[in-house]
Amino acid sequence: MKIGYARVSREDQNIDLQVDALTIAGCRKIYSDKISGTTTERPELDKMMKHLRVDDTLVIWRLDRLGRSMKHLLTVAENLENEGIGLCSLTEGFDTSTTGGRLVFTIFGALAEFERNLLIERTKAGLASARAKGRIGGRPKTISSGQIDNITELSKTKPVSQVCKELGVSRASYYRLLKTA
């Protein structure tokens, strides 16, 4: 029996394309998760793995829907093979029940991991470049340097709660700013 698995990374993404392709491929049951591929706990994937039986075939739309890490993909494929279950990817066009399919699986798994690592490297390089140009990510500062100076002066003469109220900062911000002043 063909069992399908579909996954998207975020709740706002649409899974219909994958489900339609799996249905056309003849999957009788389709499990789906809306969760990042890097997350190790995927409830529907776990449920599906318990449901699979000997001579079943796990059908996925694309290899990266099953997992991002080559180690994880190889572990899943090995576990499936040990249980007598095939793995078929519609987009990459392989079936691990054949020798050639196992080879293609290994190659595409390595490429998916490579692509993910490139994305991470590009993101880190972009952030470093932005920092070098003086742009810092995160939430914008709500306190000006003048207010920081005021905090040190006001803290000498007024209680903490009054200073926080006057400057519109929380107690935690007050103490953090006092350290930097």
Side-chain angles (χ1 to χ4, degrees):
M1 176 165 55
K2 290 183 178 182
I3 308 291
Y5 177 70
R7 182 188 62 77
V8 289
S9 299
R10 297 186 322 260
E11 281 293 327
D12 63 336
Q13 291 178 319
N14 194 325
I15 205 160
D16 294 345
L17 170 72
Q18 294 177 51
V19 172
D20 291 346
L22 295 170
T23 303
I24 291 168
C27 294
R28 289 191 178 169
K29 176 103 175 110
I30 298 172
Y31 294 84
S32 62
D33 280 314
K34 289 192 174 191
I35 194 164
S36 172
T38 58
T39 305
T40 54
E41 293 180 23
R42 292 185 266 164
E44 289 298 305
L45 177 64
D46 296 339
K47 190 188 303 183
M48 180 201 60
M49 295 302 275
K50 291 176 184 170
H51 182 266
L52 290 167
R53 302 289 175 249
V54 174
D55 293 330
D56 282 350
T57 300
L58 167 56
V59 182
I60 51 178
W61 179 66
R62 214 169 82 185
L63 194 55
D64 67 347
R65 301 297 86 201
L66 188 57
R68 295 269 189 202
S69 137
M70 188 63 207
K71 181 180 178 183
H72 178 251
L73 288 169
L74 289 173
T75 301
V76 170
E78 186 177 333
N79 291 342
L80 291 171
E81 187 177 347
N82 291 341
E83 298 293 323
I85 301 164
L87 175 63
C88 176
S89 171
L90 300 176
T91 303
E92 287 89 7
F94 69 83
D95 185 343
T96 61
S97 62
T98 67
T99 304
R102 283 191 294 277
L103 171 66
V104 171
F105 167 78
T106 305
I107 292 168
F108 277 108
L111 290 173
E113 185 173 9
F114 177 69
E115 180 182 3
R116 172 114 175 104
N117 289 336
L118 282 178
L119 176 67
I120 290 168
E121 285 177 17
R122 285 192 303 264
T123 301
K124 286 180 180 178
L127 290 170
S129 173
R131 275 189 223 104
K133 293 175 183 172
R135 285 180 265 160
I136 299 172
R139 190 174 181 184
K141 302 257 187 252
T142 57
I143 304 292
S144 68
S145 57
Q147 285 177 304
I148 294 173
D149 296 337
N150 282 347
I151 284 179
T152 45
E153 290 303 314
L154 291 172
S155 67
K156 295 175 185 173
T157 58
K158 296 183 179 182
V160 174
S161 58
Q162 191 174 354
V163 173
C164 291
K165 191 173 185 178
E166 283 181 28
L167 296 176
V169 297
S170 69
R171 239 178 153 68
S173 294
Y174 167 83
Y175 288 112
R176 187 176 52 253
L177 291 167
L178 261 181
K179 286 181 185 176
T180 61

